[in-house]
Amino acid sequence: MKTEVKQKIAFALIMGSITTGIVSFTLIAVNIGFSPAFLKIWLRSWGIGYLVAIPAILFIGPRIQALVNKL
């Protein structure tokens, strides 16, 4: 596998993890507050968000980059 492809995959995994973690934490905190079930709800939401974000970053990201390059 080429270095560039590995870098894009690594970027998607790291960026997806950080972004979904921050967004899910914030939304759960705002919507339900810090209840006793917070950690369980947050980790579940984070996992689901991560599974959605990674394919989006990998498949949609290059198309957006191409659009930006054209502009």
Side-chain angles (χ1 to χ4, degrees), residues 54-70:
I54 297 306
I57 293 169
L58 289 171
F59 297 114
I60 298 170
R63 288 165 180 80
I64 294 171
Q65 186 64 56
L67 176 63
V68 169
N69 291 344
K70 285 182 182 180

Side-chain angles (χ1 to χ4, degrees), residues 13-65:
L13 295 174
I14 295 167
M15 187 64 167
S17 178
I18 293 169
T19 303
T20 56
I22 292 169
V23 171
S24 62
F25 182 91
T26 303
L27 291 174
I28 299 300
V30 167
N31 288 320
I32 68 163
F34 294 101
S35 71
F38 178 85
L39 184 60
K40 181 179 177 182
I41 294 168
W42 174 50
L43 291 175
R44 182 174 185 271
S45 296
W46 189 358
I48 293 168
Y50 186 75
L51 292 175
V52 171
I54 297 306
I57 293 169
L58 289 171
F59 297 114
I60 298 170
R63 288 165 180 80
I64 294 171
Q65 186 64 56

Side-chain angles (χ1 to χ4, degrees), residues 1-17:
M1 192 180 302
K2 290 186 178 182
T3 303
E4 185 178 331
V5 173
K6 289 180 184 178
Q7 289 174 335
K8 287 182 180 185
I9 292 171
F11 175 83
L13 295 174
I14 295 167
M15 187 64 167
S17 178

